[in-house]
């Protein structure tokens, strides 16, 4: 059993498991942190960005003025943003049988994997994961296509040039794999390969293994996966949460008795308490609005935004913010808000029960009805005529490199009354803000990450007790910025097996058993013999048939009768005789009793020699050796067949025939 690691990002994993002749991809996360190396894509012409100077090396030997621009002491690539793809050269992607998706954040690289690679397999995901994943992909494509850039920057990627560039461009990894965004055609083609599954639904793969999704408690439809055969079990835990938020709670008990547990997607903010961050978010938002400023919240169009809106629903009345408009701007804003209300069976029990009252599970429905929350596909059209300040705007993309958020950064960045509040943990807020410096607006960092922290995961692993744990190498050492914090790492016995991008791990357990079925007519012919009290054994002669990874023992076919011959033959041909199998022998030959038996039959001169495996008996008068071992008896006798046969018969008296 092997694990191929195609992504080095611990919360955006992409691994391939080879298990019992099946090749299974576990998630295909897209590392979008690479976009931080690029200039933002403004929706309207930005004089500031267009006047940025091009970069030339200090000695003047490298001139990349058309590709690289300098801004506030940093160098950025001036072209369409590109993403760091999972490794495609480590194994042939056309050999992948199935892809298992754990949540909608971990499927953003799916079109790169399934399209133009020869992939012919099936993708398994829950319905909310598919539908919200589709929205996130659609939004990403929309962000890119509405601000197209003609030029493409490639020269800076050459290794001999990249190493001479200023940081962090110089330190960017795997730049040769970076690619532009896929098209909507690729998205539709990739998602057409998805087969929907429900929690605890067992799916057979080629009769070899069974895969089952379990609720992971992190987001709508998010799953952990069990991959098992009759005698082996692998658990894949990715993006799980034990906190009480809107999704169904995590199913922990089904993870027990795993031979291997592959652990990814822990919290990116182990020291930040989500409840505390929500409190900071609300208080900073209220402070800014009361001072007459605007609040900008860069966020994804699904996920944490549901919890933010629910928190604000309870907060705005108490804080006297009832007249403040809240705007949610995204190409998929309407679909996202509606989907969250219709996936009732994927929600926690408290929200499920509201559906039967009937009430909407999420309070943002009431915010929309009372016109406190308004949603728009973009800043153009209705929004521009209805927009009033001070206000709160939720919009994407959290990287601040594309989407409507770029327009608001240019619009509000020069005033210290305004505040930008970062809630998504995927991007460094300092790197995100770098191309907008110098910036007057206030910046507040409230990362809300509900995934498991190290304390919670240690407790979980003690309860489910897997034999082996495999995890990204980042989890086996403290964070670089907090090297003294040994509590921010996994300390297990035996130690976890770490992986990094492009590593191939041999998982530390071997398959020992295989299940075989007996046909009823064969089972009926067996004659068991009791070898110990309560233990019976039967020999079987059969034909083993293996088909679709299922093994069956069938009776040995009888030879067909010969057809009657028209011509008379002198010799009658008889069918070949099928010999009965020799009986199997069971038991042990006791030394003292065997010596007494030899003496009784006139063999008295016996020299006994003890060996590591048993005893050697030297019959001196007969010049014969008998080796008595635990798993066999050997009689060495030269040219005396009657004696050998007699000795064999004496040995057989002590053994049971099956």
């Amino acid at each position: 059993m092997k694990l191929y690691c195609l992504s080095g990002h611990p919360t955006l994993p992409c691994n391939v498991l080879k298990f019992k002749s099946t090749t299974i991809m576990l998630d295909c996360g897209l590392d979008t942190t690479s976009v931080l190396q690029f200039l933002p894509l403004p929706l309207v012409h930005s004089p500031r960005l267009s006047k940025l100077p091009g970069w030339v090396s200090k000695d003047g030997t490298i001139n990349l003025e058309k590709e690289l621009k300098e801004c506030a002491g940093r160098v950025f690539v001036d072209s369409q943003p590109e993403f760091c793809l999972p490794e495609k050269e480590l194994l042939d992607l056309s050999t992948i049988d199935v892809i298992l998706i754990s949540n909608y954040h971990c499927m953003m690289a799916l079109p790169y994997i399934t399209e133009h690679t020869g992939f012919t397999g099936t993708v398994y995901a829950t319905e909310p994961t598919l539908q919200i994943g589709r929205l996130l992909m659609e939004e990403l494509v929309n962000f890119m296509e509405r601000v197209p850039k003609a030029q493409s920057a490639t020269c800076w990627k050459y290794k001999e040039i990249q190493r001479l560039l200023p940081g962090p461009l110089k330190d960017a990894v795997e730049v040769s794999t970076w690619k532009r965004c896929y098209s909507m055609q690729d998205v539709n083609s990739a998602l057409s390969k998805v087969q929907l599954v429900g929690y605890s639904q067992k799916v057979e793969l080629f009769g070899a293994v069974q895969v089952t999704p379990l609720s992971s408690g992190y987001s709508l439809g998010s799953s952990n996966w069990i991959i098992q055969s009759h005698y082996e079990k692998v658990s894949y835990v990715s993006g799980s949460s034990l906190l009480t938020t809107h999704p169904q709670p995590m199913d922990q008990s089904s993870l027990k008795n795993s031979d291997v547990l592959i652990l990814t997607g822990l919290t990116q903010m182990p020291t930040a308490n989500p409840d505390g961050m929500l409190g900071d978010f609300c208080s900073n938002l209220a402070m800014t609005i009361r001072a007459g400023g605007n609040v900008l919240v860069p966020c994804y169009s699904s996920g944490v935004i549901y919890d933010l809106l629910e928190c604000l629903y309870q907060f705005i009345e108490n804080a006297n913010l009832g007249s403040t408009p809240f705007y949610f701007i995204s190409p998929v804003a309407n679909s996202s808000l509606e989907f969250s209300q219709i996936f009732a069976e994927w929600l926690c029990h408290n929200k499920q029960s509201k559906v039967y009252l009937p009430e909407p599970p999420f309070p943002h429905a009431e915010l929309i009805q009372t016109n406190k929350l308004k949603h728009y596909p973009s800043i153009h059209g209705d929004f521009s005529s209805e927009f009033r300040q001070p206000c709160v705007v939720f919009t994407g993309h959290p990287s601040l490199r594309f989407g409507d958020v770029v327009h608001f950064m240019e619009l509000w960045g020069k005033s210290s009354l305004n505040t930008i509040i970062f809630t998504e943990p995927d991007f460094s807020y300092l790197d995100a803000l770098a191309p907008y410096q110098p910036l007057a607006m206030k910046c507040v960092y409230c990362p809300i990450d509900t995934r498991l922290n190290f304390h919670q995961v240690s407790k979980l692993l003690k309860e489910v007790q897997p034999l082996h744990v495999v995890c990204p190498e980042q989890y086996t050492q403290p964070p670089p910025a907090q090297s003294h914090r040994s509590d921010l790492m996994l300390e297990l016995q035996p130690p976890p097996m770490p992986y990094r991008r492009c590593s191939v791990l041999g998982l530390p357990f071997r398959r020992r058993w295989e299940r075989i079925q007996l046909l009823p007519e064969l089972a009926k012919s067996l004659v068991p013999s009791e070898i110990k009290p309560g233990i019976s054994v039967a020999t079987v002669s059969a034909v083993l048939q293996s088909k679709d990874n299922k093994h069956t023992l069938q009776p040995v076919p009888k030879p067909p009768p010969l057809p009657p011959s028209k011509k008379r033959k002198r010799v009658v041909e008889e069918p070949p005789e099928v010999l009965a199998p020799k009986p199997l022998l069971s038991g042990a030959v006791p030394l003292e009793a065997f010596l007494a038996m030899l003496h009784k039959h006139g063999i008295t001169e016996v020299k006994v020699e003890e060996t590591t495996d048993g005893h050697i008996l030297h019959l001196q008068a007969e010049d014969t050796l008998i080796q008595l071992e635990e798993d066999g008896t050997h009689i060495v006798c030269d040219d005396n067949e009657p004696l050998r046969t007699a000795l064999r018969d004496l040995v057989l008296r002590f053994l049971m025939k099956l």
Side-chain angles (χ1 to χ4, degrees):
M1 182 185 289
K2 279 193 162 57
L3 185 72
Y4 297 78
C5 311
L6 311 187
S7 167
H9 198 300
T11 50
L12 296 168
C14 183
N15 298 314
V16 174
L17 179 70
K18 288 203 169 185
F19 179 29
K20 272 195 79 173
S21 72
T22 57
T23 305
I24 304 168
M25 178 174 276
L26 306 169
D27 281 329
C28 41
L30 184 64
D31 187 352
T32 51
T33 54
S34 57
V35 302
L36 295 174
Q37 310 296 344
F38 292 78
L39 279 180
L41 297 179
L43 285 172
V44 294
H45 177 71
S46 167
R48 183 184 71 86
L49 291 174
S50 62
K51 290 175 185 172
L52 291 175
W55 181 82
V56 181
S57 61
K58 288 179 181 176
D59 58 7
T61 54
I62 301 176
N63 185 337
L64 292 176
E65 286 184 321
K66 289 184 178 178
E67 292 194 4
L68 305 179
K69 303 290 182 185
E70 286 192 64
C71 177
R74 288 271 294 266
V75 175
F76 296 94
V77 182
D78 184 18
S79 85
Q80 194 92 10
E82 296 178 343
F83 306 112
C84 182
L85 270 55
E87 181 58 50
K88 291 171 122 183
E89 303 300 322
L90 196 60
L91 81 165
D92 184 355
L93 297 182
S94 67
T95 63
I96 292 170
D97 298 310
V98 294
I99 301 177
L100 306 181
I101 303 293
S102 59
N103 61 72
Y104 46 76
H105 287 298
C106 291
M107 66 183 292
M108 297 299 285
L110 190 64
Y112 295 117
I113 303 292
T114 62
E115 306 311 301
H116 320 298
T117 59
F119 174 81
T120 56
T122 307
V123 184
Y124 289 100
T126 62
E127 189 176 4
T129 297
L130 169 65
Q131 301 299 356
I132 297 173
R134 182 191 298 275
L135 294 183
L136 292 177
M137 290 182 190
E138 192 179 315
E139 180 185 56
L140 192 62
V141 172
N142 192 299
F143 283 158
M144 294 297 181
E145 289 185 350
R146 70 185 183 187
V147 191
K149 275 209 169 186
Q151 76 267 30
S152 182
T154 54
C155 294
W156 74 273
K157 292 184 181 180
Y158 297 136
K159 283 186 179 177
E160 57 273 16
I161 292 179
Q162 191 198 350
R163 60 189 177 85
L164 300 173
L165 299 178
L169 265 185
K170 178 174 71 174
D171 306 317
V173 294
E174 309 291 343
V175 294
S176 60
T177 70
W178 291 12
K179 290 280 186 290
R180 287 188 169 204
C181 188
Y182 34 69
S183 66
M184 207 58 220
Q185 185 181 350
D186 289 336
V187 170
N188 291 329
S189 177
L191 297 183
S192 70
K193 299 174 174 68
V194 176
Q195 192 166 317
L196 298 180
V197 287
Y199 289 150
S200 301
Q201 179 183 339
K202 292 176 169 51
V203 180
E204 281 236 337
L205 305 182
F206 317 111
V209 295
Q210 201 177 63
V211 296
T212 310
L214 311 170
S215 174
S216 74
Y218 169 54
S219 60
L220 277 176
S222 64
S223 314
N224 293 322
W225 288 87
I226 300 293
I227 305 150
Q228 62 187 348
S229 65
H230 294 302
Y231 299 102
E232 299 92 17
K233 180 176 178 181
V234 177
S235 295
Y236 176 59
V237 176
S238 172
S240 302
S241 177
L242 293 171
L243 301 181
T244 307
T245 55
H246 59 270
Q248 263 195 45
M250 180 182 177
D251 180 352
Q252 300 175 60
S253 59
S254 301
L255 300 172
K256 289 181 178 176
N257 305 317
S258 298
D259 295 293
V260 173
L261 187 143
I262 302 168
L263 179 68
T264 66
L266 300 186
T267 178
Q268 297 182 81
M269 296 292 144
T271 56
N273 180 339
D275 288 335
M277 292 293 107
L278 272 173
D280 290 353
F281 171 80
C282 291
S283 59
N284 279 287
L285 182 144
M287 211 185 308
T288 303
I289 296 295
R290 287 187 188 122
N294 301 292
V295 177
L296 179 61
V297 186
C299 61
Y300 294 112
S301 55
S302 181
V304 170
I305 187 170
Y306 303 144
D307 298 308
L308 291 177
L309 292 173
E310 185 160 0
C311 184
L312 286 172
Y313 172 78
Q314 299 160 352
F315 178 77
I316 51 180
E317 293 304 326
N318 302 333
N320 294 322
L321 299 176
S323 60
T324 305
F326 289 77
Y327 300 119
F328 177 22
I329 304 171
S330 162
V332 296
N334 185 41
S335 302
S336 174
L337 294 173
E338 286 182 350
F339 269 135
S340 64
Q341 304 287 21
I342 63 172
F343 287 131
E345 70 270 32
W346 305 91
L347 296 170
C348 62
H349 179 72
N350 181 30
K351 291 204 179 316
Q352 277 188 26
S353 57
K354 288 187 177 182
V355 177
Y356 303 105
L357 289 178
E359 279 181 22
F362 287 95
H364 56 242
E366 191 178 322
L367 290 173
I368 293 169
Q369 285 168 3
T370 55
N371 272 339
K372 289 173 182 171
L373 173 66
K374 295 185 177 182
H375 53 85
Y376 303 92
S378 76
I379 57 171
H380 305 299
D382 292 345
F383 174 73
S384 53
S385 59
E386 297 175 13
F387 174 57
R388 62 186 178 87
Q389 306 183 74
C391 63
V392 179
V393 172
F394 297 89
T395 189
H397 186 265
S399 65
L400 308 189
R401 291 302 180 269
F402 40 83
D404 301 275
V405 72
V406 176
H407 180 72
F408 287 100
M409 288 299 297
E410 297 283 343
L411 185 68
W412 292 343
K414 300 177 184 66
S415 169
S416 58
L417 288 175
N418 302 322
T419 302
I420 179 170
I421 305 180
F422 288 90
T423 58
E424 300 289 355
D426 290 355
F427 301 93
S428 157
Y429 74 100
L430 292 174
D431 289 340
L433 291 170
Y436 300 96
Q437 301 292 0
L439 199 66
M441 76 190 299
K442 292 190 286 290
C443 170
V444 178
Y445 190 48
C446 300
I448 298 169
D449 195 337
T450 59
R451 287 173 284 203
L452 294 173
N453 60 34
F454 288 98
H455 173 70
Q456 291 168 330
V457 84
S458 296
K459 191 176 173 187
L460 172 71
L461 292 173
K462 277 181 186 169
E463 286 176 15
V464 302
Q465 294 188 323
L467 293 181
H468 303 280
V469 175
V470 179
C471 67
E473 65 176 356
Q474 290 94 324
Y475 298 161
T476 60
Q477 55 208 22
Q482 297 169 296
S483 55
H484 62 289
R485 294 287 302 268
S486 60
D487 57 323
L488 301 182
M489 60 180 282
L490 281 180
E491 291 188 288
L492 305 171
Q493 286 303 326
M497 294 180 65
Y499 70 77
R500 60 170 67 181
R501 186 182 172 105
C502 290
S503 57
V504 181
L505 300 186
L507 297 184
F509 78 92
R510 290 183 181 172
R511 290 171 45 215
R512 296 184 178 181
W513 308 103
E514 194 62 79
R515 179 172 289 186
I516 296 179
Q517 290 187 318
L518 274 79
L519 289 185
E521 55 266 35
L522 183 65
K524 199 163 61 174
S525 68
L526 300 183
V527 182
S529 302
E530 191 172 53
I531 54 171
K532 286 182 183 176
I535 298 177
S536 296
V537 173
T539 61
V540 58
S541 296
V543 173
L544 177 65
Q545 184 193 55
S546 294
K547 185 180 179 184
D548 295 335
N549 288 299
K550 295 203 181 319
H551 311 292
T552 311
L553 283 180
Q554 302 177 337
V556 178
K558 293 177 181 175
L562 288 173
S565 177
K566 292 181 181 178
K567 294 182 180 179
R568 295 181 64 186
K569 289 187 179 178
R570 294 177 190 173
V571 182
V572 177
E573 291 184 3
E574 292 186 2
E577 186 182 353
V578 179
L579 297 174
K582 287 184 179 179
L584 298 176
L585 303 173
S586 170
V589 181
L591 179 64
E592 295 301 327
F594 185 59
L595 289 173
M597 181 71 72
L598 290 175
H599 195 272
K600 188 176 175 183
H601 284 75
I603 301 173
T604 53
E605 291 183 40
V606 182
K607 185 180 177 185
V608 180
E609 183 183 331
E610 195 168 336
T611 66
T612 53
D613 297 324
H615 297 85
I616 295 177
L617 279 57
H618 187 194
L619 315 187
Q620 292 175 323
E622 292 81 7
D623 194 19
T624 297
L625 291 177
I626 302 175
Q627 291 174 295
L628 295 178
E629 295 173 356
E630 191 176 343
D631 56 354
T633 301
H634 305 278
I635 300 170
V636 183
C637 177
D638 286 339
D639 298 331
N640 193 341
E641 185 61 22
L643 176 63
R644 189 195 68 77
T645 306
L647 292 173
R648 181 201 65 190
D649 293 340
L650 293 180
V651 170
L652 289 176
R653 291 189 188 186
F654 294 95
L655 301 176
M656 183 185 294
K657 292 181 182 179
L658 299 176

